[in-house]
Amino acid sequence: MSEYLIGIDAGNTSSKVVIFNKKGNIVSTATTPSMRFKQRRSDFEEFDVNELWALISKCIKEAVEKAQIQPENIKGIGVTSFGNGVVFLDKDGNAIAPGCFSQDYRANEILNLYQQEGTYDKINQIVKGTLFAGEPGPILRWYKENEREIYDKIGGVLTFKDYIMYRLTSVFATDLNCFGGSFMIDMETMEYSRELMKLYGIEEVYDALPKLASEPTDIIGYVTEDAAKLTGLAKGTPVVAGMMDILACLVGSGATGDGIYTAVAGSWCINETHSDRIIPNASSNMPYLYKGQYLNCSYTGASGSNYEWFTKTLGGTARKEAEKRNISVFQVLDELISSVPAEKAKTLFSPFVAQPSIHPNAKANFIGIDQNTSYAEICYSVAEGVAFIHKYHVDFLKKAGLPLNTIRLTGGIAKSRVWSQIFANVLQVPIVGVDCEETGALGSAIVAGIGAGVYKDYGEAFENAVKVKDPIMPDSSTFSTYEKRYQQWAKMNEIMMEYWEWNK
């Protein structure tokens, strides 16, 4: 009898339900449309919580029907999503306000308040990371200060993925990695902390925190009868605790070996590896797969999203060419990017279309455009700028003493050999892609498989389900050019800091 696993990757723009077989091959997929609200305010990034479940449940049913398999042969379900952001429910499990995405930064004012109160550094010390506005603690404090009538009704606090698990199982639970990475855990004790909630100024929320699973593979509950009717799943299918999407991408890439970094070039610019150390000033040091080890992360809120913005806003020339030749717009853009020699490029791009970033007020910009600048050069500068922001973070991890031999690149950009070559040249290491277009969903399916007994452990799962591509090797002849341009790029951002600070 064939065995199948479901990985659900719930993202900032859309969510995907993917059914895999034991070999890690995709059997079927279904994707939700975007569920992002029209902004009520420039710093709000919200979604309809009830619509989230309606869309996800519909996608699960669609994926099961497409797969043409017996629901009973689906042995486990894993869910991942971006960390941070927040969903809050009342004591009966009903949504009481729009959910917040992790790129919601209404709580920038709360970070200023924490600094005035003298609690900001104390919070960072407990969570072993660098607090930013899109995390649950500051957002909840914002509601306490600004919409008290909603805050006082809060009976449950979840992340995006936890809400999906709740609707599947009726169990109010989360996992240590996602809640730890969302700065809701004392990283010394790996438990909830009343002191931390008090420092956030939300001590009333302590009793609304969900049951905490210590391992991504822990089964937190089983598909209920109501959820089964809605989704086409079999009642009693196990659902595991899962993890944040950045760890899911690492698992889906099989990148647990020493000297391997994972770079996620998606909505966020994520750069991560693991060690047995807390890295001071890292973006976060999350709970990892194994006790006594940490997922050391350095990140900002935009990577591939810069390319998405560019294609939507400034991609008209490429779209016309693609239509004329009946090819993908991304193929045209790849051709344009590859036509520009790095040593002749003059335009620089700061890839800060979203927050959090290197400064709370950082914005994207082009520098060095004149009347002779071509469209191809502008396209190239976007690709290079995205690679540079990854280098900014990778260099931080390297300087902290975390060894680097190769990088597993995931996210939409990883599909492009042109982009992968730029990454290899800028980062000066081999870039290895994964032969799976849904790496986060695969990581979620793998932990579901381990939890359900389909795989004995991570080693057996990787052997069966993870297939890596041949490495793209860096071209050493480009190193000096990229080092010079990176220093120019870094200096440009250093100069802009004064403006961003002034423009608060």
Side-chain angles (χ1 to χ4, degrees):
M1 180 183 70
S2 297
E3 296 177 313
Y4 302 93
L5 299 163
I6 289 183
I8 300 175
D9 188 352
N12 279 285
T13 52
S14 64
S15 299
K16 294 185 178 180
V17 177
V18 188
I19 298 180
F20 297 90
N21 63 19
K22 186 176 178 179
K23 292 295 183 181
N25 299 317
I26 294 176
V27 177
S28 69
T29 64
T31 306
T32 70
S34 172
M35 61 191 83
R36 193 177 295 266
F37 274 178
K38 182 177 180 181
Q39 286 184 307
R40 294 191 289 150
R41 212 172 81 176
S42 62
D43 49 1
F44 284 23
E45 293 289 350
E46 299 175 309
F47 60 92
D48 185 311
V49 177
N50 293 321
E51 184 186 17
L52 163 63
W53 172 240
L55 291 171
I56 291 287
S57 58
K58 182 179 178 182
C59 274
I60 295 172
K61 189 172 184 118
E62 181 183 339
V64 173
E65 290 174 351
K66 278 184 181 177
Q68 296 184 333
I69 59 176
Q70 293 299 314
E72 292 77 12
N73 292 339
I74 297 171
K75 298 304 178 183
I77 301 169
V79 187
T80 189
S81 74
F82 55 88
N84 309 305
V86 68
V87 172
F88 22 79
L89 312 176
D90 63 18
K91 290 180 173 60
D92 297 321
N94 302 308
I96 54 176
C100 299
F101 286 109
S102 54
Q103 290 171 323
D104 186 297
Y105 58 102
R106 73 185 71 193
N108 270 347
E109 63 192 64
I110 300 300
L111 297 190
N112 294 333
L113 179 62
Y114 289 148
Q115 290 170 337
Q116 293 166 14
E117 292 175 344
T119 56
Y120 182 79
D121 289 339
K122 293 177 182 177
I123 291 169
N124 286 341
Q125 180 58 35
I126 291 173
V127 301
K128 308 303 182 190
T130 305
L131 187 67
F132 74 91
E135 284 158 332
I139 294 173
L140 287 163
R141 178 68 179 271
W142 184 91
Y143 267 91
K144 182 176 181 179
E145 300 292 336
N146 295 278
E147 295 192 19
R148 189 62 188 249
E149 70 282 3
I150 291 176
Y151 181 83
D152 286 341
K153 294 177 183 175
I154 293 174
V157 175
L158 296 170
T159 64
F160 199 74
K161 77 170 187 63
D162 302 329
Y163 180 71
I164 297 169
M165 299 192 309
Y166 169 67
R167 294 303 299 262
L168 284 169
T169 66
S170 293
V171 176
F172 199 69
T174 189
D175 73 285
L176 188 59
N177 169 260
C178 196
F179 245 52
S182 299
F183 293 176
M184 297 295 280
I185 299 292
D186 184 327
M187 288 293 293
E188 294 285 351
T189 64
M190 295 292 179
E191 295 176 351
Y192 293 135
S193 164
R194 290 189 183 275
E195 178 188 2
L196 178 60
M197 296 301 108
K198 187 173 182 180
L199 289 169
Y200 277 136
I202 55 170
E203 52 266 44
E204 304 88 357
V205 170
Y206 184 88
D207 292 329
L209 298 176
K211 175 185 174 183
L212 190 61
S214 61
E215 303 286 345
T217 55
D218 288 349
I219 294 173
I220 59 98
Y222 300 86
V223 172
T224 64
E225 185 173 351
D226 287 345
K229 289 177 181 176
L230 196 60
T231 62
L233 294 167
K235 177 185 175 183
T237 305
V239 178
V240 299
M243 53 204 160
M244 195 185 290
D245 56 2
I246 62 178
L247 182 54
C249 285
L250 183 151
V251 171
S253 302
T256 56
D258 294 336
I260 302 176
Y261 285 23
T262 301
V264 185
S267 297
W268 281 55
C269 165
I270 304 294
N271 308 273
E272 58 186 347
T273 188
H274 70 279
S275 75
D276 58 1
R277 295 190 288 131
I278 296 288
I279 305 302
N281 302 315
S283 300
S284 63
N285 295 281
M286 300 184 190
Y288 186 54
L289 300 174
Y290 312 112
K291 291 178 181 176
Q293 293 199 329
Y294 303 93
L295 184 65
N296 308 119
C297 305
S298 189
Y299 50 67
T300 50
S303 175
S305 47
N306 289 281
Y307 199 36
E308 181 184 5
W309 164 82
F310 175 79
T311 305
K312 179 176 66 176
T313 308
L314 299 173
T317 299
R319 280 195 294 274
K320 287 181 182 178
E321 180 67 14
E323 289 168 5
K324 183 169 72 175
R325 295 166 56 190
N326 195 30
I327 60 175
S328 162
V329 65
F330 296 108
Q331 186 176 338
V332 173
L333 288 168
D334 274 357
E335 291 174 1
L336 290 166
I337 291 165
S338 63
S339 73
V340 179
E343 64 273 12
K344 294 186 178 180
K346 293 183 175 62
T347 304
L348 294 168
F349 175 66
S350 293
F352 308 131
V353 298
Q355 287 287 351
S357 194
I358 63 174
H359 187 282
N361 295 313
K363 303 294 182 185
N365 56 76
F366 292 97
I367 299 291
I369 294 176
D370 62 26
Q371 63 184 352
N372 297 311
T373 302
S374 68
Y375 182 66
E377 288 175 281
I378 293 174
C379 296
Y380 171 81
S381 72
V382 173
E384 185 187 61
V386 171
F388 282 166
I389 190 61
H390 278 273
K391 175 176 170 58
Y392 173 89
H393 292 293
V394 167
D395 283 356
F396 169 83
L397 295 172
K398 286 167 60 180
K399 288 173 183 175
L402 301 177
L404 171 62
N405 299 321
T406 186
I407 290 177
R408 299 273 170 96
L409 181 62
T410 72
I413 285 170
K415 299 173 186 177
S416 166
R417 186 174 182 86
V418 171
W419 280 74
S420 296
Q421 187 65 63
I422 292 173
F423 268 64
N425 295 343
V426 167
L427 298 170
Q428 301 182 16
V429 292
I431 298 295
V432 178
V434 181
D435 193 13
C436 177
E437 293 194 357
E438 304 298 342
T439 315
L442 177 59
S444 300
I446 284 172
V447 296
I450 296 170
V454 174
Y455 308 118
K456 179 178 64 176
D457 53 25
Y458 287 105
E460 182 180 321
F462 296 159
E463 185 178 346
N464 275 275
V466 177
K467 305 168 188 69
V468 296
K469 299 177 182 178
D470 291 336
I472 294 177
M473 303 305 293
D475 179 356
S476 60
S477 70
T478 67
F479 290 177
S480 61
T481 297
Y482 278 118
E483 282 291 347
K484 180 180 178 181
R485 285 187 58 75
Y486 177 75
Q487 292 305 320
Q488 293 170 339
W489 178 88
K491 187 65 176 178
M492 175 184 73
N493 292 321
E494 181 184 330
I495 292 168
M496 288 298 297
M497 287 285 190
E498 184 175 348
Y499 169 73
W500 292 327
E501 187 64 27
W502 171 78
N503 197 38
K504 280 185 177 179

